[in-house]
């Protein structure tokens, strides 16, 4: 028997609404609340995400170990090239997408959190 269920994944960041808007565009979600320091994002067919203000936030230095990633999101897509164009237009940065033979590519969201686009 489980002791708990996963409620929400929370990402610390300097600008919660801006990061919520980024993921709303990427995942098709909708912001349901925003108090300036905490923003909730409902994601169709998945767990909600939340974004919490962290004024001293320092993004991971992937793949360096001095500021490790701690976690990342794997986002399933149908077409890697199309999804890549979309996330880059929204402000993502390429971290590791040179090997075009792989079924996944690594990016950083606008706050610097690593995430992967993974072909289904």
């Amino acid at each position: 028997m489980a002791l708990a269920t996963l409620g929400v994944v929370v990402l610390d960041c300097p600008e919660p609404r801006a990061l919520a808007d980024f993921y709303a565009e990427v995942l098709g979600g909708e912001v349901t609340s925003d108090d300036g320091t905490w923003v909730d994002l409902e994601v169709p067919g998945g767990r909600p995400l939340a974004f919490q203000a962290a004024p001293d936030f320092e993004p991971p230095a992937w793949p360096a170990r001095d500021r490790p990633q701690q976690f990342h999101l794997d986002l399933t897509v149908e077409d890697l090239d199309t999804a890549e164009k979309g996330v880059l237009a929204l402000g993502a940065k390429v971290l590791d997408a040179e090997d075009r033979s792989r079924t996944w590519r690594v990016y950083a969201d606008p706050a610097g959190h690593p995430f992967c686009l993974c072909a289904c």
Side-chain angles (χ1 to χ4, degrees), residues 17 19-33 39-49 51 75 90:
R17 182 57 190 245
L19 197 57
D21 288 343
F22 170 82
Y23 280 104
E25 289 293 324
V26 171
L27 299 171
E30 179 181 344
V31 171
T32 58
S33 68
V39 178
D40 289 311
L41 176 65
E42 292 296 324
V43 179
R47 289 286 175 203
L49 295 174
F51 306 88
L75 308 178
L90 292 168

Side-chain angles (χ1 to χ4, degrees), residues 2-83:
L3 297 174
T5 59
L6 179 62
V8 64
V9 175
V10 182
L11 287 80
D12 287 354
C13 58
E15 298 178 43
R17 182 57 190 245
L19 197 57
D21 288 343
F22 170 82
Y23 280 104
E25 289 293 324
V26 171
L27 299 171
E30 179 181 344
V31 171
T32 58
S33 68
D34 177 356
D35 73 4
T37 60
W38 183 281
V39 178
D40 289 311
L41 176 65
E42 292 296 324
V43 179
R47 289 286 175 203
L49 295 174
F51 306 88
Q52 176 175 270
D56 297 327
F57 175 77
E58 289 190 42
W62 189 90
R65 297 186 185 271
D66 57 336
R67 286 195 336 256
Q69 67 176 337
Q70 299 173 8
F71 84 99
H72 71 273
L73 300 173
D74 281 350
L75 308 178
T76 304
V77 300
E78 290 187 26
D79 182 278
L80 282 170
D81 293 331
T82 300

